[in-house]
Amino acid sequence: MPSGYLLGIGSNVAPEQNVPAVLKALLAISPQLYLSRVVRTAPEGMQSAHDFLNVVVLVTSDLSPEALKQQTNRIEEALGRDRSAPDRKTRDRPADIDLLTRIRNARRTQLPMIKENYLRPLAEELLDYLQNRPLRAPNGVVTPIHLDGLSLGEMPATVSLDTATGVIGLGEPSGRLREQS
């Protein structure tokens, strides 16, 4: 069973491009990611006409929480997020990466309180996927995204980077890498 960190990822500025860009950047930190479905949700706690795409990801990493947060902040900034803006919590954003919790053993994990109601069902679904339990459908409209020719987001998935070749593929439960054509 993998261990690492559950991250909540969202974007409401060009989300079809920015969510895959976040995932690609995270593959540089962890060559294997586990993803929930991707859902489209209305903004919460802010005034915006732009819906978010959201996904919960398990990043397998031994980094400290502080070191991982520094890396995710750099990803957000590289995609255009202004972390110094006074209204940064209530403005549209190309990338928002929240560290939800550390996972040491997904079989024993009890999710802590997740303040973002739209992320909790995605986190629960991802844990179900990791434990081979029946999946619960998340809230929101399931929305596919594309990453290096792969279609993701309609079901939970394992995405792997072959560091020798740079090829991104879907990892099968057996751990074998499969490219999608």
Side-chain angles (χ1 to χ4, degrees):
M1 187 61 53
S3 62
Y5 297 91
L6 281 184
L7 303 178
I9 298 169
S11 171
N12 76 333
V13 173
E16 292 82 4
Q17 290 79 41
N18 285 317
V19 170
V22 168
L23 296 175
K24 195 167 191 173
L26 289 173
L27 283 166
I29 297 169
S30 168
Q32 188 162 49
L33 304 174
Y34 301 88
L35 286 67
S36 70
R37 289 180 234 215
V38 177
V39 296
R40 185 174 297 278
T41 59
E44 285 188 14
M46 61 186 280
Q47 295 293 320
S48 177
H50 307 287
D51 286 345
F52 276 84
L53 285 186
N54 292 288
V55 61
V56 171
V57 174
L58 175 65
V59 173
T60 55
S61 173
D62 292 329
L63 291 173
S64 70
E66 298 79 17
L68 180 61
K69 189 60 183 164
Q70 287 177 351
Q71 297 235 2
T72 61
N73 285 352
R74 281 195 285 273
I75 293 168
E76 290 175 344
E77 291 165 359
L79 291 172
R81 183 159 185 194
D82 181 359
R83 298 193 57 79
S84 65
D87 62 346
R88 68 186 172 277
K89 295 280 188 190
T90 58
R91 71 185 325 183
D92 292 331
R93 55 195 71 121
D96 185 20
I97 307 170
D98 296 320
L99 196 151
L100 303 176
T101 191
R102 189 173 206 162
I103 301 288
R104 289 194 166 88
N105 182 336
R107 292 198 193 287
R108 293 192 202 134
T109 296
Q110 295 291 327
L111 287 175
M113 177 58 122
I114 297 175
K115 64 181 177 178
E116 298 87 353
N117 292 332
Y118 51 90
L119 291 178
R120 185 166 187 88
L122 296 174
E124 290 170 344
E125 177 189 53
L126 184 54
L127 289 178
D128 287 343
Y129 170 70
L130 292 169
Q131 297 174 43
N132 293 315
R133 295 189 306 220
L135 300 177
R136 297 170 256 185
N139 302 330
V141 177
V142 174
T143 305
I145 59 171
H146 301 283
L147 173 65
D148 284 11
L150 298 174
S151 181
L152 303 169
E154 294 181 285
M155 291 300 291
T158 303
V159 179
S160 299
L161 171 66
D162 182 329
T163 55
T165 65
V167 173
I168 297 172
L170 293 177
E172 299 288 49
S174 66
R176 295 181 315 173
L177 190 62
R178 174 176 65 87
E179 288 183 58
Q180 185 173 343
S181 52

